Amino acid sequence: MELVSPDLVVERPEGLYCPPGDFYIDPWRPVDRAVITHAHADHARTGHGHYLAAAVGAGVLRARLGAIDLQTLDYGEAIVHHGVRLSLHPAGHVLGSAQVRLEHEGRVWVVSGDYFVSGVGDGNSTCAPFEPVRCHCFVTESTFGLPIYRWRPQREVFADIDAWWRANAAAGRPSLLMGYSFGKAQRILAGVDASIGPIVVHGAVEPLNRAYREAGVALPPTRLVSEVNDKADFRTALVVAPPSVAGSVWSRRFADASDAFASGWMQLRGARRRRGVDRGFVLSDHADWPGLMQAIAATGCERVVVTHGYEAVLVRWLQQQGLQASSFKTEYGDDALDAAVEDSERGTS
């Protein structure tokens, strides 16, 4: 007879599993029932029998996964499955990103997925801001779980990007800004000053722009490279593309461009040099160290389980603060998966 775990979420080879509810959260191997926190490739994979996700992110999820059996919930809407009350709450990461709240027999767990704690007022209007959810146990990411990671206000970063673009435009040089096609690209588009010049996007970015617009997110007008009839327009343009274009045939049409990369990893000295770009902008859609501390404290939890990133560092710190802390071994945080998705989505446009 199999023993039933008292925990609402446990590790299994397929992924994070809810024993009383008999479903998985962001599983990495095919399962019958999957609750998806957001549509990044390391959290949303093909092959599951049934998907449950936030309604506002349905378009993005289908754009990336194709035809799937998808059930959606509005933020805060609850269903009961096998006695487990389940609801989804904003995570502030990308369009449709959600924390999963599970309640069963008086116990409440929250699985955060990936999250970003600053709100719309800090320069991001592309998704609902993070909403703290009270719980007994909080399952948190730790992508940037080191004290060195402390983000400047995003509006300040966008002011730097605008100044870089404006200077390049004045010199007649295209501005090639690289960031992941889902989430980061739209965060960039919504944050820059679109009056500086035309905005041109890579073929992997535009379908996701379309999904964002259909979900009601305001983005400035964008064109594909193939839609630019006057090549002189490139000289004042901001070109938004995924990191996979670096050094590619596609990027060579902007031979005299100033190039840049937007990522939280730009916080580290040497990261820009390793990328081989002119500029690095520290722009992330994950919580920094203070954000992780803020989110964990806001839950009022007594127990924390840490997933992908700097698990050991964060677990040790939390234990020193008197919390019960441990980690789950997961297959999240693999940027190569999103790069592969972008390669499959990218055309020559």
Side-chain angles (χ1 to χ4, degrees):
M1 179 177 178
E2 183 178 359
L3 294 176
V4 178
S5 170
D7 290 344
L8 292 190
V9 180
V10 299
E11 295 175 85
R12 280 197 172 180
E14 300 85 354
L16 302 185
Y17 178 67
C18 176
D22 190 25
F23 57 79
Y24 289 82
I25 300 172
D26 292 349
W28 43 84
R29 295 179 186 168
V31 300
D32 289 337
R33 304 188 71 87
V35 179
I36 303 299
T37 63
H38 66 286
H40 274 141
D42 55 334
H43 291 260
R45 312 196 190 203
T46 58
H48 307 315
H50 178 81
Y51 294 76
L52 176 70
V56 69
V60 173
L61 200 57
R62 288 194 168 103
R64 304 209 97 188
L65 298 184
I68 55 175
D69 179 8
L70 177 62
Q71 177 185 357
T72 63
L73 292 177
D74 291 332
Y75 287 135
E77 180 183 0
I79 59 171
V80 177
H81 183 76
H82 294 339
V84 176
R85 181 180 175 86
L86 183 155
S87 56
L88 303 177
H89 304 266
H93 177 57
V94 294
L95 181 64
S97 60
Q99 303 171 80
V100 183
R101 182 187 186 274
L102 307 173
E103 182 176 355
H104 182 256
E105 295 182 351
R107 295 171 293 157
V108 177
W109 283 48
V110 171
V111 180
S112 66
D114 290 335
Y115 62 93
F116 180 85
V117 298
S118 293
V120 170
D122 187 29
N124 179 35
S125 60
T126 60
C127 62
F130 178 84
E131 176 185 295
V133 182
R134 304 285 291 186
C135 58
H136 298 105
C137 182
F138 185 54
V139 181
T140 180
E141 64 147 311
S142 59
T143 303
F144 293 102
L146 290 178
I148 190 175
Y149 292 111
R150 297 172 185 268
W151 310 145
R152 293 167 58 207
Q154 292 202 0
R155 59 184 176 274
E156 294 181 9
V157 180
F158 285 124
D160 289 346
I161 293 173
D162 287 341
W164 166 76
W165 178 15
R166 193 175 289 111
N168 290 335
R173 298 182 69 192
S175 299
L176 174 59
L177 182 53
M178 291 172 280
Y180 288 111
S181 61
F182 168 41
K184 186 65 62 63
Q186 293 72 38
R187 196 172 284 236
I188 289 168
L189 293 172
V192 297
D193 179 0
S195 70
I196 296 172
I199 300 177
V200 180
V201 299
H202 186 271
V205 174
E206 191 58 25
L208 294 156
N209 291 347
R210 190 178 310 120
Y212 268 67
R213 292 182 177 113
E214 289 172 353
V217 176
L219 297 176
T222 54
R223 287 184 286 172
L224 292 168
V225 171
S226 59
E227 296 172 340
V228 178
N229 296 319
D230 186 353
K231 302 306 181 185
D233 287 351
F234 289 145
R235 292 201 295 267
T236 57
L238 177 68
V239 183
V240 178
S244 55
V245 307
S248 70
V249 172
W250 184 91
S251 66
R252 289 175 194 161
R253 70 193 75 190
F254 312 109
D256 59 341
S258 174
D259 57 1
F261 186 55
S263 171
W265 300 116
M266 294 295 101
Q267 180 84 36
L268 291 180
R269 181 177 298 178
R272 177 175 62 85
R273 183 176 63 254
R274 288 193 296 273
R275 281 280 176 178
V277 292
D278 297 329
R279 289 290 300 271
F281 296 106
V282 183
L283 185 69
S284 181
D285 45 22
H286 292 266
D288 59 1
W289 179 265
L292 292 169
M293 299 301 107
Q294 177 185 335
I296 292 167
T299 68
C301 66
E302 58 200 27
R303 180 179 173 191
V304 182
V305 181
V306 181
T307 67
H308 57 298
Y310 294 97
E311 299 101 318
V313 173
L314 187 53
V315 166
R316 184 166 60 251
W317 172 262
L318 294 172
Q319 289 173 343
Q320 291 170 351
Q321 309 314 304
L323 289 170
Q324 300 177 46
S326 58
S327 63
F328 281 149
K329 182 176 175 57
T330 69
E331 296 187 14
Y332 308 140
D334 186 354
D335 287 346
L337 285 173
D338 257 317
V341 169
E342 288 171 345
D343 282 340
S344 70
E345 291 170 341
R346 73 193 253 191
T348 57
S349 297

